[in-house]
Each structure stands twice: as structure tokens, then as C-alpha cells.
């Protein structure tokens, strides 16, 4: 059983929008906080389109889209998160930004509120260390696209209490997610494989070995993946991939984790992926994946 009723999501970008969709769709009152109103509007608009399409396809019962949106509140006021039983952070992959946010949250949220981070590469223990409540802090790593992917990697920091971990685990299950336990290590389970793997695909493009479309078809056809690595990277965003590589390489010095030069050139050209309409592939719209 989970004692959680109201969920806060801090950061309404690619991941925050998906995580908020999962929470609100599962019946939780969900308060989505971002410093930027345009990010909040975009997240809600994308979610509305995604849920409406899900309902039309029969994947959600009639009325579920409207009910989910009724449970979703957008805000630029951090103090609105005061009523949350858990706050899941999905802001920029930057330790100082995350520390600042959690310090502010610590001032507005009750002592019982669990803080969770969706970080892909930063140590949970390090983020928790600057949160003021390391015992009530946990890693909850959702996968992209969160509104479709069931996996949530759960990692305790060194000081996380058993009770916090168990409450967060039960909460993940109550949202219909499939939690797995992993230590607080760079990339957890999934990105330990995925970051070097995706970089290998980028280097094949850099070296002119194959076109992005052919690489994606090869991987999907042979390995049965639902998305090719370059399609996935377009969804992740080159800006995020660069941060992921820098964090992973900085911690492991694994050469395959180093950011390929092509990623930096694509960022300079604003070819960030689906969110700018152009990455390794060209997109006609910037709707949420699955809509
Ligand atoms: N993109 C992925 O594939 C992926 C997958 C799993 C986990 N993650 C992790 O999720 C987190 C977010 O990644 P993303 O890709 O959604 O980033 P993003 O750039 O799409 O969104 C980040 C959002 O955070 C907001 N923000 C920044 N500082 C803030 C603050 N102090 N308070 C409130 N909002 C703030 C920004 O306005 C933006 O809307 C990162 O820690 C990343 O490592 C990303």
C-alpha cells in the first residue's frame, strides 16, 4: 500500500511531462512545477494530445483523458508543492540546479514529503546530500518515453531509509510501473548499456558507415528493439545526450561514453531532435511520442 496521494513533479520538460502523465493517469493529484510557463503549457498540451489519442485507440476508457487532465495542475509557484507527499525532480542534469531546487523545496514541504530524483547520471547520494533530508530521498529513474515505458529504476542513496525506499517502491507499483532495484552507480542499469551503445550508433553516422535510417532498421529488425538508437536519440535530445555523456564519461572515463563531436555540431545547428523538428531524422511535428 502507498500512503501517497498528491504527487509533485518539478520540471515540465521531456521527462517531467511523461512522469506527470503516468502519475495523473494512475489517479494521483499531480502538481507540475516549472520556472517557465511555456514549458508547462507545452507539457500539458502534449499530454492532452497523447491522452486523447490513447482514448481514441481504445487504450484508455472514455472520459479518462479529461479525468487525468482534471488531476493535473500546472504552476510556476514552488510553494504549490507544499501539499505533496512525494516530489519527483526532473530538472536539468546539473547538480547545483538540483541542490538549489531541493533546498527551496525543503523550506516549503513538510518533513514527511519524500524527495525523488529522476537523474540519469548524477549520484543519488550526492543530490540527497544537498537536500536537507537524505534519509527521505530516493532515486526514481523513469525511462523515455515515460508515458509508455513501464520500467522505473529505484536506487537508494547511502542514507536513504528502508521505509522511504519501500514507500517509493509501492508508489511506483501503484502507478502501474515495474520498479527494479539498483545501486547508486553511474547510469544505473539501463544507461550503463545505452549511453555507449547510442554513441556507437552516432559514430557509425560520423564515419559515414551507414545512414541513420538504415542503422535504425538494422537494430530494430535484428534485435527486436521498438526504436532504433538514432530515433531514440532524437527523442532524448542532443543537448541531453551531451550532458549524459559528460556526466558518464566524467565518472567512468569509459571512452565509448565520451560525447561524439557530431553531437556538439548538431547542438550548434539546433538539430536537437524531435523537440526542434530535426535531429538524425526530420519531424513534421513536435508532439509527445505516441500521440
Ligand atoms: N531525456 C531523457 O532521455 C531522460 C531519461 C531519463 C531521465 N532523464 C533525466 O531527467 C531530468 C530532466 O531531463 P529532460 O530531458 O526532461 O530535460 P528537459 O531539458 O527536457 O527539461 C527540464 C525542465 O526543467 C525545467 N527547470 C530547470 N530548472 C528548473 C528549476 N530550478 N525548477 C523548476 N524547473 C526547472 C526547465 O524549464 C525544463 O522545462 C534530467 O535529470 C535527466 O538526466 C532524462
Amino acid at each position: 500500500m502507498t500512503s501517497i496521494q498528491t504527487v509533485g513533479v518539478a520540471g515540465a520538460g521531456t521527462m517531467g511531462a511523461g512522469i506527470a502523465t503516468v502519475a495523473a493517469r494512475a489517479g494521483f493529484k499531480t502538481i507540475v512545477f516549472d520556472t517557465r510557463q511555456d514549458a508547462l503549457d507545452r507539457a500539458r498540451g502534449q499530454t492532452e494530445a497523447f491522452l486523447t489519442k490513447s482514448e481514441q485507440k481504445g487504450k484508455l476508457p472514455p472520459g479518462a483523458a479529461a479525468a487525468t487532465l482534471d488531476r493535473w495542475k500546472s504552476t510556476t509557484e514552488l510553494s504549490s508543492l507544499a501539499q505533496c507527499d512525494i516530489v519527483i525532480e526532473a530538472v536539468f542534469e546539473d547538480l547545483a540546479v538540483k541542490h538549489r531546487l531541493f533546498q527551496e523545496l525543503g523550506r516549503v514541504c513538510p518533513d514527511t514529503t519524500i524527495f525523488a530524483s529522476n537523474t540519469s547520471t548524477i549520484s543519488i547520494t550526492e543530490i540527497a546530500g544537498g537536500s536537507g533530508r537524505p534519509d527521505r530521498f530516493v532515486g526514481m529513474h523513469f525511462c523515455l518515453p515515460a508515458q509508455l515505458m513501464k520500467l522505473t529504476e529505484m536506487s537508494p542513496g547511502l542514507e536513504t531509509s528502508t521505509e522511504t525506499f519501500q514507500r517509493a517502491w509501492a508508489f511506483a507499483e501503484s502507478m502501474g510501473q515495474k520498479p527494479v532495484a539498483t545501486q547508486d552507480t553511474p547510469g544505473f542499469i539501463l544507461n550503463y548499456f545505452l549511453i555507449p551503445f547510442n554513441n556507437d550508433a552516432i559514430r557509425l553516422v560520423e564515419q559515414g558507415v551507414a545512414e541513420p535510417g538504415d542503422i535504425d532498421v538494422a537494430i530494430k529488425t535484428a534485435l527486436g528493439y521498438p526504436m532504433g538508437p538514432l530515433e531514440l536519440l532524437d527523442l532524448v535530445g542532443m543537448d541531453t545526450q551531451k550532458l549524459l555523456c559528460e556526466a558518464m564519461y566524467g565518472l567512468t572515463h569509459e571512452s565509448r561514453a565520451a560525447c561524439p563531436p557530431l553531437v556538439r555540431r548538431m547542438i550548434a545547428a539546433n538539430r536537437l531532435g524531435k523537440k526542434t523538428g530535426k535531429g538524425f531524422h526530420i519531424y513534421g511535428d513536435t508532439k509527445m511520442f505516441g500521440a
Side-chain angles (χ1 to χ4, degrees):
M1 273 297 284
T2 171
S3 52
I4 287 163
Q5 291 177 2
T6 304
V7 177
V9 178
T14 309
M15 289 309 294
I19 295 166
T21 304
V22 172
R25 190 177 54 194
F28 293 96
K29 183 176 176 195
T30 305
I31 302 171
V32 188
F33 163 70
D34 202 291
T35 46
R36 292 178 48 176
Q37 186 62 46
D38 62 330
L40 289 165
D41 294 343
R42 186 164 182 258
R44 195 179 163 97
Q46 285 179 332
T47 299
E48 186 167 8
F50 169 74
L51 293 169
T52 305
K53 192 75 170 280
S54 301
E55 209 177 288
Q56 284 164 357
K57 286 182 186 165
K59 292 180 177 170
L60 282 178
T68 300
L69 290 166
D70 276 352
R71 290 188 285 269
W72 172 306
K73 181 178 182 294
S74 303
T75 182
T76 54
E77 298 291 329
L78 185 90
S79 56
S80 302
L81 297 176
Q83 53 183 298
C84 295
D85 301 304
I86 187 167
V87 177
I88 306 170
E89 167 275 310
V91 304
F92 298 138
E93 189 72 336
D94 180 312
L95 183 61
V97 172
K98 291 182 192 289
H99 273 168
R100 262 197 310 277
L101 174 74
F102 281 117
Q103 280 154 16
E104 288 171 29
L105 280 172
R107 285 192 279 276
V108 303
C109 294
D111 284 349
T112 47
T113 303
I114 294 177
F115 288 168
S117 176
N118 183 51
T119 181
S120 290
T121 52
I122 303 175
S123 156
I124 296 301
T125 305
E126 273 191 72
I127 305 173
S131 73
R133 58 181 76 182
D135 54 324
R136 284 150 287 150
F137 199 103
V138 65
M140 288 185 77
H141 185 243
F142 293 75
C143 305
L144 185 71
Q147 64 278 12
L148 295 177
M149 300 288 279
K150 295 286 176 209
L151 179 66
T152 304
E153 294 173 308
M154 306 284 304
S155 46
L158 281 180
E159 297 298 321
T160 304
S161 72
T162 305
E163 188 204 340
T164 298
F165 194 73
Q166 286 174 346
R167 275 183 77 201
W169 183 284
F171 164 62
E173 286 183 327
S174 68
M175 290 192 295
Q177 294 298 107
K178 176 75 196 151
V180 295
T182 160
Q183 283 304 314
D184 176 18
T185 55
F188 307 117
I189 301 170
L190 189 66
N191 277 329
Y192 186 84
F193 293 106
L194 214 49
I195 293 171
F197 175 81
N198 286 345
N199 282 345
D200 287 344
I202 297 168
R203 290 192 188 98
L204 284 184
V205 176
E206 262 178 345
Q207 292 160 18
V209 173
E211 293 296 320
D214 290 320
I215 296 170
D216 284 337
V217 169
I219 298 297
K220 285 189 287 188
T221 308
L223 301 182
Y225 291 5
M227 259 190 271
L230 300 158
E231 287 172 312
L232 179 60
L233 279 160
D234 277 354
L235 212 53
V236 170
M238 299 314 136
D239 46 350
T240 302
Q241 178 67 10
K242 176 172 164 281
L243 292 175
L244 290 174
C245 290
E246 286 170 353
M248 186 82 163
Y249 181 76
L251 290 166
T252 63
H253 295 285
E254 152 73 64
S255 60
R256 287 174 64 228
C259 186
L262 179 58
V263 171
R264 297 177 197 281
R265 300 213 313 275
M266 288 174 73
I267 294 169
N270 201 34
R271 291 179 65 150
L272 300 185
K274 200 160 192 287
K275 60 184 158 188
T276 57
K278 204 172 182 186
F280 287 102
H281 302 280
I282 311 267
Y283 300 88
D285 64 62
T286 54
K287 279 195 208 121
M288 190 180 241
F289 187 81

